[in-house]
Amino acid sequence: MIPVYNGSRTIGHLVERIQAIFATKPFEIILVNDGSEDESEMVCSQLAEDSRKTRAFVTVESEFR
């Protein structure tokens, strides 16, 4: 599970690295976008569409930040 906040420029690279590291093992990546103000929601959704092992969720902005 990976929390995402304004990570649109870096999350794609992170997901690619995780996929490469665990390529021969069963795994699932869960991206949780927590009220980002950039294009993170769109990037996470696209990553989830491109891979069956990736899912994306959006939450309302956390009050604990």
Side-chain angles (χ1 to χ4, degrees), residues 16-59:
E16 287 175 7
R17 294 299 304 143
I18 292 170
Q19 290 171 336
I21 291 168
F22 295 102
T24 61
K25 299 178 174 146
F27 70 94
E28 180 177 35
I29 300 171
I30 300 171
L31 303 172
V32 181
N33 180 31
D34 188 20
S36 294
E37 298 171 351
D38 64 357
E39 300 297 320
S40 294
E41 182 176 351
M42 181 188 69
V43 173
C44 290
S45 295
Q46 187 62 51
L47 289 167
E49 282 184 30
D50 293 346
S51 172
R52 295 182 317 220
K53 295 183 177 187
T54 304
R55 296 192 301 165
F57 296 93
V58 177
T59 64

Side-chain angles (χ1 to χ4, degrees), residues 5 34 59-65:
Y5 181 74
D34 188 20
T59 64
V60 293
E61 187 173 346
S62 173
E63 64 184 74
F64 300 107
R65 196 171 318 112

